[in-house]
């Protein structure tokens, strides 16, 4: 028995010795220099990509061999493609949703009865970056007007804006001298939505930007599929004029991915006889996340909320999305 | 017969042999095969040619599947019947004719004791009736005086309607619309609730009042505003929903200043108990099947169960979770531990009061204003369901229910847990000891569990499982002794989990009492 036991023990010791030696090497390298670490990372990355290429080639060979009988290409399993089933997903030609949307607060815009008139304002005594952000928004939304808030209560602003027949109100909130939130209020009957701003990049900080023209932009609203998403998308659509001027080749994109709404502003150019498009970013670049949607105009104390993000109750699964 | 005439089978017309354009008037005999192979024969009860949803009054199958556990009224004017077991809904009126500005359903009540008729008020100040047996809607009358929105509807026991509006007109009508008497509710009225021949109203800057319908139009009781706050600022009067507790002098209001107040009309005009709940206006209240508990919902979609028996304030028992947006209406089932809620997040939800879990939620595609639950629900305990299925006649069900309630010990329904616990509490400590000793004795005889005072729901589960386990045990024991021990331990493991929960709850209760 003792002989049998001793043999594996010895082997273990040997292996331990090896591992300790191996462990020492990276420690020393970590101590040595940053360059070594970078080299290590690069070699790992190269190894991984090489392995991936090998796998791809194998699959390609199999596909060529089998021809038509080949298994269909697999879709990558991302968090978004495996999202939880949502009953409120709007199907095409859903009679009832159409009826609901035909009579909602945005219906007058979509029936072309009203033209958008947008007012942009900010927190009281806003600092320079918030003003800058407002100017950037003004650049994207044709015909928007900026007014200084001057410590006027937001409910009063809503009242005055309604009297002056504005159709939308945008209030940029700031914290720590940086814009951190946006309140969108559709006038005169609401609804109101509050978004958090993430990852804001000003035009100045983007490499290779172009100058914005005065043409009315095209608007792309991407991936707003649930009932809540529809409402939000319709709200964004109401900010922009009805007839885009295609001559300007200007496009504003609001792309929803995993409940984060990516705002981008581009000029496009067709190349190779319309087979390819080149994009030139005009800026700004930021991401929005919906926090709540309220029925009626801004009234956080007494208003009725249509949807509130309750983080501990709703965000229990990373595959559940609401927009 | 009432049960037979219920809307019974609902299916997508596209899935069966029914395809293309059809015009099916109510009452046409139809016969077809579904995609699942079931043969359906019956009469058309309701057909929506656009969404291709067909409801058939089934004349062949003996076990009808009901599509009407719950009714909701939407802000678009849609009246919907929900099936809680299927999580599906059916539109009862034609969607194309509806204009939300005219047809929005503001309040809804049952129109008769069989719950086959619905009465609802619309934003154009009409009172309409809907018969769920024939699926036909009819206008009863217009409420003529004034232009404000109707926000209260109550059907008295002698079949008269009380209607109120935001301008404070509270009027008593008969079914043909003739005004019998009028009461001054007060400007800014928001809510109305009735019980027997009493009605209570409340509103913004309109103190809560209670009227007796048979006496003159002077209120029999008026509330008095609470004293100014610690900064000597007047607290606004703002009752958003009001409830009269039946057979008592208690009145409960939920206010826009996020308070839930309880008044005792015999004692004083100011609230006897109150509680501040969160920071959003309390928009909806409802009574439950227990006299001392009420539900409340607010504008950010929080939904709580409150106990009125606290010494100085109303206690929050639990929150019922799942809502995403403001709650517009709550309906606590009068005899079973279920509660339905709906709101502008477009979902109708049903919670179980005992387990505090969401039982069913139905996406209704429109903002909902009011909700009603029928007495018999498809999600109720299986024993009851069988009774219903044998014969759908409501009277029989009611009789059966009455019997069940009288012999509550044999009744396996979970609703009586607390009552039983209360009973047992008096001799609670002794029984707790017994239970422990039983636990220890479990190794010897698993049958001794039957004598345990475990909660009824758990008891039933154990008894249903036991025969199978006992059989297994016998078979195994005939084979080997070692196996026998294992089996006993397995049964013990299965039977044990309910006990600690029960023991814990009794302990808590005892602690409170001390």
């Amino acid at each position: 028995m003792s002989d049998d036991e001793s043999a594996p023990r010895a082997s273990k010791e040997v292996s331990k010795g090896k591992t300790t030696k191996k462990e020492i090497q990276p420690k020393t390298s970590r101590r040595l220099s940053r360059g070594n670490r970078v080299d290590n990372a690069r070699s790992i990355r190269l190894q991984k990509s090489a392995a991936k290429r090998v796998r791809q080639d194998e699959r390609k060979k199999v596909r060529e061999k089998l021809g038509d009988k080949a298994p269909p290409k697999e879709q990558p399993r991302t968090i978004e493609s495996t999202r939880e089933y949502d009953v409120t997903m709007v199907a095409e030609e859903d009679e009832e949703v159409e009826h609901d949307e035909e009579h909602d607060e945005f219906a007058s815009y979509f029936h072309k009865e009203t033209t958008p008139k947008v007012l942009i304002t900010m927190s009281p005594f806003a600092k320079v970056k918030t003003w800058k952000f407002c100017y950037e928004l003004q650049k994207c939304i044709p015909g928007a007007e900026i007014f200084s808030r001057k410590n006027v209560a937001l409910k009063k602003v809503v009242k005055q804006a309604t009297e002056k027949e504005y159709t939308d109100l945008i209030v940029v909130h700031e914290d720590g001298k940086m814009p951190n939130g946006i309140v969108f209020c559709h006038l005169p009957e609401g609804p109101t939505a509050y978004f958090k701003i993430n990852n804001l990049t000003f035009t100045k900080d983007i490499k290779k930007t172009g100058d914005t023209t005065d043409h009315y932009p095209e608007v792309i609203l991407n991936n707003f599929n649930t009932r809540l998403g529809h409402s939000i998308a319709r709200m964004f659509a109401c900010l922009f004029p009805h007839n885009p001027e295609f001559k300007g080749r200007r496009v504003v994109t609001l792309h929803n991915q995993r409940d984060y709404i990516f705002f981008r502003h581009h000029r496009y150019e067709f190349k190779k006889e319309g087979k390819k498009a080149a994009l030139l970013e005009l800026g700004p670049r930021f991401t929005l996340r919906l926090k709540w949607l309220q029925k009626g105009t801004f009234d956080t104390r007494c208003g009725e909320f249509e949807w509130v993000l309750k983080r501990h109750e709703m965000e229990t699964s990373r595959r559940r999305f609401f927009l | 017969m009432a049960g037979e005439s219920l809307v019974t089978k609902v299916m997508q017309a596209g899935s069966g042999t029914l395809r293309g354009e059809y015009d099916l008037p109510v009452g046409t005999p139809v016969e077809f095969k579904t995609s699942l192979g079931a043969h359906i024969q019956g009469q058309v009860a309701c057909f929506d040619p656009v969404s291709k949803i067909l409801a058939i009054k089934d004349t062949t199958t003996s076990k009808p599947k009901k599509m009407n556990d719950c009714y909701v009224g939407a802000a678009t004017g849609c009246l919907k019947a929900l099936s809680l077991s299927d999580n599906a809904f059916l539109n009862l009126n034609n969607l194309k004719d509806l204009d939300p500005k005219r047809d929005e359903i503001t309040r809804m009540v049952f129109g008769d004791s069989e719950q086959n008729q619905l009465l609802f008020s619309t934003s154009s100040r009409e009172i309409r009736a809907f018969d769920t047996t024939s699926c036909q809607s009819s206008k009863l009358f217009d409420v003529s005086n004034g232009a404000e929105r109707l926000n209260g509807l109550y059907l008295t026991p002698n079949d008269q309607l009380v209607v109120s509006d935001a301008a404070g007109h509270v009027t008593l009508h008969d079914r043909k619309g003739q005004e019998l008497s009028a009461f001054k509710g007060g400007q800014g009225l928001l809510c109305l609730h009735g019980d027997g021949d009493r009605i209570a109203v409340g509103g913004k800057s309109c103190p809560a009042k209670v009227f007796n319908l048979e006496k003159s139009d002077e209120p029999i009781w008026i509330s008095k505003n609470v004293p100014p706050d610690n900064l000597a600022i007047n607290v606004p009067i703002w009752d958003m929903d009001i409830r009269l507790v039946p057979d008592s002098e208690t009145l409960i209001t939920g206010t826009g200043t996020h308070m839930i107040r309880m008044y005792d009309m015999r004692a004083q005009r100011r609230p006897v108990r109150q509680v501040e709940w969160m920071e959003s206006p309390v928009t909806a209240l409802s009574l439950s099947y227990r006299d001392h508990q009420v539900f409340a919902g607010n504008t950010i979609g929080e939904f709580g169960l409150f106990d009125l028996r606290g010494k100085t304030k109303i206690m929050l028992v639990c929150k019922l979770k799942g809502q995403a947006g403001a709650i517009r209406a709550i309906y606590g089932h009068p005899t079973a531990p279920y509660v339905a809620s709906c709101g502008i997040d477009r979902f109708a939800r049903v919670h179980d009061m005992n387990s505090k879990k969401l039982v069913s939620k139905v996406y209704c595609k429109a903002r909902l204003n009011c909700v009603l639950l029928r007495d018999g629900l498809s999600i109720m305990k299986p024993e009851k369901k069988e009774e219903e299925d044998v014969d759908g006649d409501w009277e029989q069900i009611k009789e059966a229910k009455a019997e069940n309630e009288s012999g509550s010990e044999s009744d396996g329904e979970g609703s009586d847990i607390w009552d039983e616990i209360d009973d047992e509490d008096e001799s609670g400590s002794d029984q707790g000891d017994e239970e422990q000793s039983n636990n220890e004795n479990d190794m010897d005889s698993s049958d001794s569990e039957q004598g345990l005072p475990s909660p009824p729901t758990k008891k039933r589960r154990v008894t249903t499982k036991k025969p199978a386990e006992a059989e297994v045990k016998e078979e195994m024991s005939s084979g080997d002794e070692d196996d026998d021990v294992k089996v006993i331990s397995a049964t013990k493991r299965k039977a044990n989990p309910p006990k600690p929960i029960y023991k814990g709850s009794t302990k808590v209760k005892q602690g409170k009492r001390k």
Side-chain angles (χ1 to χ4, degrees):
Chain A
M1 286 292 280
S2 61
D3 290 345
D4 288 348
E5 278 182 359
S6 64
R9 250 183 218 168
S11 68
K12 265 181 195 173
E13 278 168 11
V14 170
S15 65
K16 265 183 191 173
K18 272 183 185 173
T19 50
T20 45
K21 268 181 194 171
K22 268 188 182 174
E23 274 169 14
I24 288 163
Q25 278 176 344
K27 267 182 188 174
T28 50
S29 73
R30 232 173 267 159
R31 242 178 258 153
L32 272 173
S33 69
R34 191 165 164 267
N36 257 3
R37 239 180 19 247
V38 171
D39 284 351
N40 262 358
R42 187 185 294 148
S43 68
I44 289 168
R45 203 164 55 235
L46 288 175
Q47 273 174 18
K48 275 188 176 176
S49 64
K52 196 177 179 183
R53 212 171 299 126
V54 168
R55 271 180 277 141
Q56 275 175 347
D57 289 345
E58 273 177 15
R59 261 180 277 150
K60 205 176 177 183
K61 272 180 194 169
V62 169
R63 217 174 296 130
E64 279 169 4
K65 214 178 185 182
L66 292 175
D68 295 340
K69 289 173 189 173
K73 269 191 175 179
E74 284 178 24
Q75 286 293 324
R77 284 171 55 84
T78 59
I79 291 182
E80 203 173 26
S81 70
T82 55
R83 76 183 273 182
E84 276 181 13
Y85 172 71
D86 193 326
V87 275
T88 67
M89 223 42 128
V90 181
E92 276 178 38
E93 291 180 22
D94 192 321
E95 168 87 357
E96 195 158 2
V97 174
E98 276 173 22
H99 175 264
D100 196 8
E101 287 186 344
E102 212 163 90
H103 293 94
D104 70 357
E105 298 92 341
F106 312 112
S108 61
Y109 170 84
F110 286 96
H111 293 156
K112 299 196 175 178
E113 288 159 8
T114 54
T115 47
K117 191 182 172 194
V118 183
L119 172 68
I120 300 175
T121 182
M122 59 292 281
S123 315
F125 312 115
K127 298 293 182 295
V128 81
K129 283 200 172 163
T130 310
W131 273 95
K132 246 176 146 182
F133 180 64
C134 290
Y135 281 119
E136 299 256 28
L137 278 180
Q138 192 188 29
K139 205 172 74 181
C140 304
I141 304 166
E145 293 166 42
I146 300 180
F147 282 91
S148 165
R149 173 83 171 271
K150 298 206 167 144
N151 212 6
V152 182
L154 197 46
K155 280 185 194 171
K156 272 188 186 170
V157 174
V158 168
K159 208 178 162 190
Q160 288 174 14
T162 318
E163 277 168 9
K164 292 186 177 161
E165 294 183 343
Y166 284 96
T167 58
D168 289 275
L169 172 70
I170 296 175
V171 186
V172 180
H173 285 279
E174 72 166 15
D175 185 39
K177 299 184 182 178
M178 274 295 278
N180 76 332
I182 289 190
V183 172
F184 276 97
C185 186
H186 188 71
L187 302 172
E189 286 176 336
T192 311
Y194 175 67
F195 297 91
K196 188 178 76 176
I197 302 175
N198 278 345
N199 301 336
L200 171 62
T201 316
F202 290 106
T203 314
K204 196 186 78 185
D205 306 327
I206 302 173
K207 288 174 192 170
K208 277 195 185 177
T209 50
D211 288 336
T212 313
T213 53
D214 301 341
H215 299 93
Y216 288 173
E218 299 161 50
V219 183
I220 298 176
L221 294 160
N222 228 350
N223 219 359
F224 293 91
N225 293 328
T226 65
R227 187 66 190 80
L228 179 70
H230 262 235
S231 306
I232 297 295
R234 282 167 74 85
M235 208 167 167
F236 281 126
C238 282
L239 294 173
F240 297 94
H242 288 107
N243 36 353
E245 291 170 318
F246 296 105
K247 193 184 164 194
R249 294 178 286 120
R250 219 182 120 189
V251 57
V252 170
T253 315
L254 288 148
H255 171 83
N256 169 38
Q257 192 166 349
R258 300 198 213 160
D259 279 0
Y260 287 89
I261 302 163
F262 293 85
F263 181 98
R264 298 288 183 271
H265 186 195
H266 292 102
R267 180 164 341 124
Y268 61 85
E269 191 181 342
F270 289 122
K271 284 189 172 173
K272 292 187 183 174
E273 294 167 358
K275 281 178 186 171
K276 270 196 169 180
L279 290 180
L280 178 65
E281 191 156 3
L282 305 178
R285 195 194 276 175
F286 57 90
T287 311
L288 299 173
R289 175 129 213 247
L290 181 66
K291 289 289 183 177
W292 46 257
L293 177 68
Q294 190 191 351
K295 196 175 180 294
T297 53
F298 182 86
D299 185 357
T300 38
R301 197 183 291 165
C302 305
E304 279 185 308
F305 288 87
E306 196 170 315
W307 184 84
V308 186
L309 179 67
K310 297 178 185 170
R311 299 204 55 190
H312 294 289
E313 221 174 286
M314 291 172 164
E315 292 192 339
T316 46
S317 161
R318 63 201 294 238
R319 291 173 199 281
R320 187 181 304 138
F321 304 112
F322 301 99
L323 288 178
Chain B
M1 266 167 65
E4 187 193 316
S5 56
L6 294 167
V7 178
T8 50
K9 280 275 178 188
V10 177
M11 60 199 60
Q12 293 284 337
S15 66
T17 49
L18 201 64
R19 281 175 207 277
E21 296 293 315
Y22 273 86
D23 182 31
L24 295 167
V26 173
T28 342
V30 285
E31 186 178 349
F32 63 90
K33 240 181 171 179
T34 66
S35 55
L36 296 171
H39 191 74
I40 304 282
Q41 198 175 6
Q43 287 179 330
V44 173
C46 185
F47 179 59
D48 185 3
V50 185
S51 60
K52 287 185 182 172
I53 288 176
L54 174 70
I56 293 171
K57 208 189 291 177
D58 207 335
T59 48
T60 51
T61 47
S62 59
K63 287 186 179 180
K65 195 176 168 191
K66 288 205 297 295
M67 192 58 192
N68 42 8
D69 293 321
C70 179
Y71 298 102
V72 290
T76 55
C78 254
L79 190 64
K80 292 157 193 274
L82 311 185
S83 165
L84 300 178
S85 51
D86 300 344
N87 286 354
F89 76 89
L90 175 73
N91 282 337
L92 296 175
N93 43 13
N94 196 355
L95 198 68
K96 279 192 172 172
D97 312 336
L98 298 173
D99 176 16
K101 288 204 175 106
R102 189 189 65 213
D103 295 316
E104 180 180 352
I105 297 172
T106 55
R107 288 287 186 273
M108 186 162 70
V109 290
F110 281 121
D112 53 2
S113 55
E114 279 89 39
Q115 303 186 332
N116 285 330
Q117 195 189 36
L118 302 170
L119 301 175
F120 56 92
S121 60
T122 63
S123 48
S124 58
R125 294 176 68 87
E126 274 179 29
I127 306 294
R128 292 184 203 166
F130 185 87
D131 197 5
T132 53
T133 52
S134 62
C135 276
Q136 274 176 349
S137 176
S138 57
K139 181 182 158 186
L140 283 185
F141 56 87
D142 268 322
V143 184
S144 50
N145 50 350
E148 298 279 339
R149 184 187 160 97
L150 296 181
N151 50 22
L153 187 64
Y154 169 60
L155 186 74
T156 63
N158 42 9
D159 216 26
Q160 290 163 341
L161 275 165
V162 183
V163 184
S164 69
D165 68 5
H169 301 294
V170 184
T171 45
L172 181 68
H173 297 264
D174 63 4
R175 286 235 173 194
K176 286 166 189 167
Q178 200 173 6
E179 195 176 309
L180 302 173
S181 57
F183 308 92
K184 281 173 192 165
Q187 183 70 35
L189 190 140
L190 286 173
C191 50
L192 174 138
H193 183 248
D195 165 54
D197 57 353
R198 295 179 301 167
I199 54 165
V201 294
K204 193 162 188 178
S205 58
C206 151
K209 300 181 187 74
V210 178
F211 295 95
N212 194 328
L213 290 174
E214 286 168 4
K215 287 180 190 168
S216 65
D217 50 21
E218 283 300 308
I220 52 174
W221 183 83
I222 305 179
S223 72
K224 191 178 179 184
N225 196 10
V226 292
D229 62 9
N230 56 0
L231 298 173
I233 299 168
N234 276 344
V235 180
I237 301 172
W238 190 4
D239 295 327
M240 295 194 87
D241 206 355
I242 197 164
R243 285 290 179 274
L244 269 171
V245 180
D247 309 322
S248 79
E249 298 284 306
T250 314
L251 185 74
I252 297 142
T253 63
T255 72
T257 51
H258 36 92
M259 302 287 278
I260 297 165
R261 298 197 170 119
M262 178 186 160
Y263 296 89
D264 189 342
M265 287 185 265
R266 292 164 303 186
Q268 60 189 41
R269 288 171 57 201
R270 280 189 169 143
V272 285
R273 265 167 231 169
Q274 59 181 3
V275 66
E276 187 168 3
W277 185 45
M278 307 191 74
E279 284 159 353
S280 306
V282 177
T283 47
L285 278 179
S286 171
L287 302 170
S288 71
Y289 83 115
R290 288 181 202 128
D291 290 339
H292 52 83
Q293 289 186 340
V294 291
F295 299 102
N298 69 11
T299 54
I300 58 163
E302 296 291 339
F303 181 23
L305 173 62
F306 290 86
D307 199 309
L308 301 173
R309 293 177 300 182
K311 267 186 183 171
T312 52
K313 66 179 202 177
I314 299 170
M315 304 295 284
L316 175 68
V317 179
C318 65
K319 272 193 202 172
L320 303 169
K321 293 189 177 178
Q323 278 79 7
I327 296 171
R328 285 266 176 95
I330 306 173
Y331 189 88
H333 197 282
T335 51
Y338 291 105
V339 57
S341 59
C342 71
I344 58 174
D345 61 346
R346 298 184 174 88
F347 276 93
R349 292 180 173 85
V350 176
H351 284 87
D352 189 329
M353 248 174 100
N354 291 332
S355 65
K356 292 148 194 167
K357 292 269 163 62
L358 186 68
V359 178
S360 151
K361 72 171 184 180
V362 186
Y363 171 53
C364 293
K365 294 187 181 180
R367 293 181 186 126
L368 306 175
N369 274 349
C370 36
V371 61
L372 292 174
L373 273 179
R374 281 191 83 114
D375 282 349
L377 297 178
S378 60
I379 47 166
M380 280 187 181
K381 296 289 185 292
E383 294 105 319
K384 282 202 169 176
K385 201 178 175 184
E386 277 163 27
E387 282 168 13
E388 279 173 13
D389 287 348
V390 170
D391 194 346
D393 203 337
W394 285 105
E395 287 180 10
Q396 283 198 3
I397 296 165
K398 278 184 181 170
E399 281 172 21
K401 200 182 279 173
E403 282 171 19
N404 272 346
E405 279 163 8
S406 63
S408 64
E409 285 178 1
S410 63
D411 188 350
E413 201 193 336
S415 62
D416 297 321
I417 291 178
W418 285 105
D419 299 353
E420 283 193 17
I421 288 175
D422 282 347
D423 293 343
E424 286 158 11
D425 244 8
E426 288 148 23
S427 59
S429 57
D430 301 335
Q431 282 186 345
D433 292 349
E434 271 178 31
E435 210 176 296
Q436 277 185 342
S437 62
N438 271 331
N439 259 342
E440 289 155 12
N441 293 338
D442 254 1
M443 292 294 281
D444 303 327
S445 61
S446 59
D447 286 356
S448 66
E449 280 167 16
Q450 276 184 336
L452 281 181
S454 60
T457 44
K458 311 288 183 190
K459 194 196 282 177
R460 200 183 62 227
R461 199 181 294 159
V462 171
T463 46
T464 48
K465 269 184 186 173
K466 202 176 280 171
E469 284 171 7
E471 281 172 22
V472 173
K473 187 186 155 189
E474 278 169 18
E475 285 172 16
M476 300 291 267
S477 63
S478 63
D480 203 340
E481 280 185 11
D482 293 355
D483 285 351
D484 195 2
V485 174
K486 275 181 194 169
V487 170
I488 287 172
S489 66
T491 54
K492 199 193 166 193
R493 213 183 300 139
K494 276 181 185 172
N496 266 345
K499 284 172 205 162
I501 296 163
Y502 172 66
K503 264 167 28 187
S505 67
T506 51
K507 269 178 193 170
V508 170
K509 276 241 154 185
Q510 284 165 13
K512 270 185 188 173
R513 292 210 169 176
K514 277 166 195 171

